[in-house]
Amino acid sequence: MSEQTQKVPLLINGELIPSKTQQWLAVTNPADQQVIAQVPLATSQEVEDAISSAKAAFETWKDVPVGDRARLMLRYQALLKEHHDELARLLAQETGKTFADAKGDVWRGIEVVEHACNIASLSMGEILENVANKIDCYSITQPLGVCVGITPFNFPAMIPLWMFPMAIACGNTFVLKPSEQDPLTPMRLAALFKEAGAPDGLLQIVHGGKEVVNQLLTHKDTPAISFVGSVAVGEHIYRTGTDHLKRVQAFAGAKNHMVVMPDASKNQVINAIAGASVGAAGQRCMAISVVVLVGETKHWVGEMRDALAKVKPGVWDDPEAGYGPLINPQAKQRVLNLIQEGKDAGATCLLDGSNFEVAGYPDGNWVGPTLFTDVTRDMSIYQQEIFGPVLIVLEVDTLEQAINLINENPYGNGTSIYTSSGAVARKYQHEIKVGQVGINVPVPVPLPMFSFTGWRKSFYGDQHAYGKQAVKFYTETKTITARWFEDDIDTGVNTTIELK
Ligand code: NAD
């Protein structure tokens, strides 16, 4: 790593601050291992400074009228759209995503900012007149204070944008700890937020790993923690945060199944499965990683293999590329180990992406599309989230068997069913214990007027991301019971809690 490589600053109180730490990590291009930047593991004092700055800014921001908060989001949305391509280029280079997919990552974040523009109607309370004699009752929502966001590598635009715009629109201030693997996109998002007119201190960014996270998680001045990442870390975040009496939402890993019924359109299924399993090299929490073939659809496996094999890998600016490299060599090795474990356990590897190269990029973290059949549920390739372009085929005879098998899997992030029967789809949506269901839609990520609602091991907490639930997560409700006296009539002393 040369001394000239750009050093990613921290963002504290509106200023870009060079970290004083001695500990730096390389941010690399996943296609060739070139070092793009160095990211600091912030010192404990720097984390403290970020929290204090957010705390001080909250004292003013919490009283800023809702229309002004909404107008900040309107300006931010316009700027993000103006810089959409530029953000996507930056994002593609640090993640390895294709340009089109990187644009999608940014776009799904812009949609949440659009949602945050509606903060006035989203945060309205309730009122009921005459709950007792001449007494009215009403509720209002108020912000919490300094909210914290800890985000994963796989959506460096969308996931930070799930968090800070909604939190700040609600009147909070924010400290973001982005993934240390791709911090440049979040820094650019923050710069545009400032350009949109965000007052200093509304958004801070600190970089680092578990020490920084643990400091944010246990600090007395951080009442709410939003986390997205792996299950192991998500469980730790939820346990530690709630032990410290904080409000926590932790979105975690997944194993998403697609059920294919014999009455489904074969072409639709084959295209959907190829895109949903191999897209983003399988590094999506909503990627389809298991296809459950019901009845005669087991004969569609050959065509599935051909469709997967055709998806072309490539670097971000190759317009023909369907997906890029994995994020880092360790992630690649982990996927290769799991593929080997599948083979050793006796699964049939119909398409093997283990020894995969892309011309001109010999050092890229490439894994090709991989397809396993003859998989049993005790195998690690079924038990674990692989987070690579690996698809597992399971065969069952009936819809009931498919539903039971999915409900027995510990994860509950996303699922989809392909069928032409409304009754089958209705039964599936009702009985499946998964938070996001697609009906002839392979990757059913909800738009922000709804919430992103993972279940079971894929989510710890109760209020989910964006939609109306984000407003509940980022605010307290206060309920007021009010009486205004019309005259001086003495109503006497009431010693009960009953309102009269
Ligand atoms: P990760 O858990 O390794 O890291 C997530 C964040 O936690 C990062 O900011 C990281 O610095 C921090 N972190 C890592 N180890 C930590 C530790 N020991 N203590 C405290 N903090 C720690 O996840 P990742 O590899 O960046 O992202 C991929 C994972 O995220 C996958 O499991 C994927 O399914 C999941 N994910 C889930 C959703 C969802 O909505 N459910 C969305 C996107 C990604």
Side-chain angles (χ1 to χ4, degrees), residues 149-155 158-159 162 177-182 208-214 217 227-234 236-237 250-256 282-286 327-328 385 387 411 413 436 452 454 457-459 465:
I150 301 150
T151 54
F153 79 83
N154 66 331
F155 283 101
M158 180 184 83
I159 292 181
W162 280 8
K177 204 303 285 175
S179 171
E180 62 279 28
Q181 302 189 71
D182 42 21
K210 66 179 178 195
E211 283 78 17
V212 168
V213 170
N214 285 340
L217 196 52
F227 166 85
V228 179
S230 58
V231 166
V233 183
H236 161 70
I237 299 278
F251 299 84
K255 196 82 181 171
N256 306 312
Q283 298 174 114
R284 289 182 184 138
C285 66
M286 290 288 280
I327 188 72
N328 60 37
E385 179 184 43
F387 228 52
Y411 293 101
N413 215 33
Q436 293 160 119
F452 186 93
K457 223 172 155 62
S458 298
F459 178 71

Side-chain angles (χ1 to χ4, degrees), residues 130-364:
N130 263 346
V131 290
N133 193 20
K134 293 188 179 161
I135 295 180
D136 303 332
C137 195
Y138 49 97
S139 64
I140 56 177
T141 52
Q142 292 191 333
L144 305 171
V146 179
C147 299
V148 168
I150 301 150
T151 54
F153 79 83
N154 66 331
F155 283 101
M158 180 184 83
I159 292 181
L161 291 172
W162 280 8
M163 298 178 180
F164 74 80
M166 289 302 295
I168 290 173
C170 287
N172 301 287
T173 55
F174 207 85
V175 180
L176 174 68
K177 204 303 285 175
S179 171
E180 62 279 28
Q181 302 189 71
D182 42 21
L184 300 175
T185 305
M187 290 307 291
R188 189 69 190 122
L189 293 177
L192 292 172
F193 193 47
K194 187 175 165 101
E195 204 177 317
D200 292 346
L202 250 54
L203 173 65
Q204 344 297 308
I205 300 192
V206 289
H207 304 287
K210 66 179 178 195
E211 283 78 17
V212 168
V213 170
N214 285 340
Q215 189 176 347
L216 292 167
L217 196 52
T218 55
H219 197 282
K220 66 178 176 32
D221 293 327
T222 56
I225 311 288
S226 301
F227 166 85
V228 179
S230 58
V231 166
V233 183
E235 286 178 356
H236 161 70
I237 299 278
Y238 188 73
R239 287 210 176 91
T240 313
T242 51
D243 258 8
H244 284 77
L245 306 178
K246 291 174 195 292
R247 191 176 284 204
V248 182
Q249 51 175 198
F251 299 84
K255 196 82 181 171
N256 306 312
H257 299 65
M258 179 195 280
V259 175
V260 182
M261 298 301 292
D263 63 358
S265 151
K266 197 202 283 184
N267 281 344
Q268 292 288 346
V269 167
I270 305 285
N271 288 331
I273 198 70
S277 62
V278 176
Q283 298 174 114
R284 289 182 184 138
C285 66
M286 290 288 280
I288 293 293
S289 51
V290 184
V291 60
V292 185
L293 300 180
V294 180
E296 289 306 298
T297 63
K298 64 184 173 207
H299 300 301
W300 299 2
V301 166
E303 283 161 84
M304 263 175 211
R305 182 199 51 218
D306 297 346
L308 259 64
K310 270 193 215 138
V311 188
K312 185 178 172 294
V315 288
W316 73 272
D317 55 354
D318 172 356
E320 306 282 295
Y323 68 99
L326 296 181
I327 188 72
N328 60 37
Q330 296 74 25
K332 171 179 171 175
Q333 193 53 50
R334 191 180 156 275
V335 173
L336 294 183
N337 291 348
L338 279 159
I339 293 175
Q340 190 56 47
E341 284 177 29
K343 293 175 188 167
D344 294 346
T348 305
C349 192
L350 275 188
L351 181 66
D352 187 354
S354 307
N355 293 309
F356 208 72
E357 281 182 10
V358 169
Y361 294 90
D363 298 325

